[in-house]
Amino acid sequence: MAHPLFGAGQRVNVAHAGRVSTPAGIYNIVRALPAEHGPVQYRIKSDTEAFERIVDETRLEAVQN
């Protein structure tokens, strides 16, 4: 089982294109989702949106504070 690289509250950049249209930009990690198959997934939220998104870990990069 893969261990999450990011923790709740951490800021990340969505940088890599994927199947689902998620605008590039800075998001906050809400939480890692339970591992099933494939890459680790996270619930993320932008300060500019009222909803959360789910993205694969492979699309995320840590943001330096």
Side-chain angles (χ1 to χ4, degrees):
M1 177 167 78
H3 295 284
L5 293 178
F6 306 106
Q10 189 170 356
R11 293 176 59 78
V12 293
N13 184 34
V14 175
H16 303 289
R19 293 178 289 162
V20 179
S21 177
T22 300
I26 306 299
Y27 292 80
N28 294 305
I29 298 288
V30 175
R31 67 182 180 96
L33 298 176
E36 291 181 10
H37 303 289
V40 174
Q41 293 185 317
Y42 297 87
R43 292 186 75 85
I44 62 171
K45 184 169 181 323
S46 168
D47 291 339
T48 62
E49 297 175 330
F51 55 90
E52 297 175 356
R53 298 175 180 271
I54 296 175
V55 296
D56 291 349
E57 186 172 80
T58 57
R59 298 184 59 205
L60 301 176
E61 298 173 344
V63 171
Q64 301 298 325
N65 292 336

